[in-house]
Amino acid sequence: MSLSLPALTAAAALALTGGGADPFGDKPRLHLAGGDAVGSSPTFVPYGYGAAPGSRKATPKTSAAATAQIVAALQQATRYCGWLQRDGKGEYVIDCLAERIDDVSRGMAGQRGYAQVRAVLDETARGLNQVARANRASAQRPTRFRTQDKGGAVTTTNRRLVPVERARQQAAVAQALAVIGEAETRLLRSAEDPSTRGAQFQRIAAAVGSNKVLLRSL
């Protein structure tokens, strides 16, 4: 998931519909498929150990448009990891957030005016990955996942996700919440600087902070 238009189009295709009470939207339950087979509806699939997808270039946008893309990408990251949790793979969610937030940051390469945001996202991704590794499940191996929507668009994790030991999940969630809280605080502090266009940074901070809802659901 980069910030380019194709990725956002895929996110729109995966958008949830309906009025369920689920904080991450209402969608048919995902089913874990074996091998590399992919279903016609969004389906999580263990992806194996191949090379990660290549890097992507960010499309230059005005500041307002760039903020909208960043927020949309962060929201899609939350939904992606939320779907993983709903498919019974909650042990991968913390590192999923780490990997997806890192993907958002990489997609921002070349965008002016967002150096502070990218630095916070990079540190957040590292922090969440460290939490997952510190509480790693010894009996499960790291796994890469991909989804394919009805239109054929595929989203693939760029690396293997580290599962958290179920007995350590509560402690890991508390640590992950602290990482997200720190990121939100730093972004809000940046928003106080008039040179950083505070209202836009506040929108990004809210998108990052919304991951606390997902983490508390684990």
Side-chain angles (χ1 to χ4, degrees):
M1 178 188 60
S2 69
L3 301 187
S4 61
L5 287 177
L8 290 179
T9 300
L14 285 167
L16 307 181
T17 59
D22 186 347
F24 313 112
D26 188 13
K27 70 177 285 291
R29 179 176 174 81
L30 300 178
H31 300 284
L32 189 68
D36 285 331
V38 188
S40 59
S41 60
T43 305
F44 276 101
V45 183
Y47 190 69
Y49 300 87
S55 60
R56 290 142 290 186
K57 296 181 179 179
T59 302
K61 295 287 184 182
T62 64
S63 184
T67 297
Q69 284 189 313
I70 294 165
V71 169
L74 287 168
Q75 290 171 340
Q76 175 62 9
T78 303
R79 286 193 294 270
Y80 188 96
C81 299
W83 295 336
L84 194 59
Q85 187 266 344
R86 288 178 60 178
D87 199 43
K89 296 293 179 180
E91 64 270 28
Y92 291 95
V93 166
I94 291 176
D95 202 32
C96 176
L97 288 174
E99 187 275 334
R100 291 288 86 195
I101 290 173
D102 176 69
D103 190 70
V104 173
S105 177
R106 291 189 303 107
M108 293 170 63
Q111 289 184 330
R112 296 181 179 180
Y114 292 89
Q116 289 173 293
V117 172
R118 197 173 182 205
V120 171
L121 295 183
D122 285 345
E123 187 168 339
T124 302
R126 287 194 298 270
L128 292 172
N129 177 248
Q130 288 171 1
V131 169
R133 288 190 288 110
N135 296 279
R136 178 175 175 174
S138 59
Q140 293 175 269
R141 65 179 184 178
T143 304
R144 291 176 67 198
F145 292 91
R146 68 178 175 182
T147 61
Q148 180 173 319
D149 66 15
K150 292 181 179 180
V154 174
T155 299
T156 306
T157 58
N158 297 309
R159 61 169 175 77
R160 291 172 286 177
L161 305 184
V162 176
V164 168
E165 180 66 54
R166 292 188 182 277
R168 300 176 185 170
Q169 185 86 306
Q170 185 175 358
V173 166
Q175 295 163 19
L177 285 169
V179 171
I180 293 295
E182 176 63 19
E184 189 176 17
T185 298
R186 289 181 59 190
L187 288 168
L188 290 173
R189 285 174 181 167
S190 296
E192 295 173 358
D193 182 351
S195 67
T196 61
R197 301 177 184 179
Q200 296 183 39
F201 274 49
Q202 288 174 5
R203 291 183 61 199
I204 296 171
V208 171
S210 68
N211 288 300
K212 290 186 284 189
V213 178
L214 171 57
L215 289 168
R216 288 169 179 150
S217 73
L218 296 178

